Amino acid sequence: LTLVVLIISIRQNTRSQKALVVDSLAAAITSINVPAMESPVLGSALSKATADWSSASREERIIAHFFLFSFFKLLENAWYQQKTGVLDQAQWVGWEKLLRKYYHSTGVRGVWWPARQHGYSPEFQKFLSETKPPDELGSLNELFDHVPDDT
């Protein structure tokens, strides 16, 4: 009977830990996106810098760098959580597509990542190097510049 109670307790604790990880990731992405909601400067800087690092001003590259560093650190954490089974595969799918979209963008791959990749674990670097860009996600420019057709 004690063993059954222990097994049930462990399962409940595991579910609670998984829920905490998901909540933590959601809170972390919110905390790095709130500044963009308060000022479009971050979105504009990120849009330019990811498309073509040199098209962004020095100030825009600085803003984009700090977002990208935080974003990739967050997703490195999510990747490790997924690898250990704490983050479910179904929850990882969306994060992973977004990560691949940023990683394979021209500005990130051409300039930012080569200069900052060593701030991330060798395992995470290897994972990213083996990925392909997703087809499902458009660029930030496409998203930000989209005007619905009223016809």
Side-chain angles (χ1 to χ4, degrees):
L1 184 61
T2 304
L3 184 57
V4 171
V5 170
L6 180 62
I7 290 170
I8 291 170
S9 176
I10 289 171
R11 284 184 181 169
Q12 288 174 339
N13 187 35
T14 300
R15 283 188 206 118
S16 294
Q17 290 300 319
K18 286 182 177 189
L20 285 173
V21 166
V22 171
D23 286 348
S24 172
L25 291 172
I29 196 67
T30 299
S31 73
I32 61 175
N33 276 300
V34 165
M37 294 183 307
E38 293 172 347
S39 170
V41 173
L42 173 58
S44 180
L46 199 55
S47 178
K48 285 182 184 177
T50 57
D52 176 5
W53 193 259
S54 64
S55 73
S57 69
R58 184 174 193 278
E59 182 177 293
E60 289 169 327
R61 291 190 301 264
I62 291 168
I63 292 168
H65 159 71
F66 286 107
F67 173 87
L68 290 168
F69 185 81
S70 298
F71 181 71
F72 275 79
K73 272 298 178 187
L74 170 64
L75 287 171
E76 179 183 37
N77 181 9
W79 178 73
Y80 274 108
Q81 298 296 338
Q82 174 269 148
K83 276 185 57 159
T84 61
V86 174
L87 184 65
D88 291 338
Q89 182 61 30
Q91 294 166 322
W92 168 244
V93 169
W95 289 102
E96 191 255 346
K97 283 181 185 172
L98 199 54
L99 172 60
R100 287 187 294 127
K101 186 62 180 183
Y102 277 99
Y103 175 72
H104 287 285
S105 68
T106 303
V108 170
R109 283 298 299 268
V111 179
W112 187 82
W113 184 253
R116 290 295 172 256
Q117 68 184 345
H118 300 295
Y120 304 90
S121 71
E123 296 84 7
F124 186 63
Q125 292 177 50
K126 183 178 185 301
F127 162 74
L128 286 175
S129 72
E130 295 170 350
T131 64
K132 294 186 172 139
D135 295 329
E136 311 80 50
L137 295 173
S139 72
L140 288 175
N141 281 330
E142 292 168 345
L143 179 63
F144 294 158
D145 294 341
H146 178 77
V147 178
D149 221 359
D150 288 340
T151 57

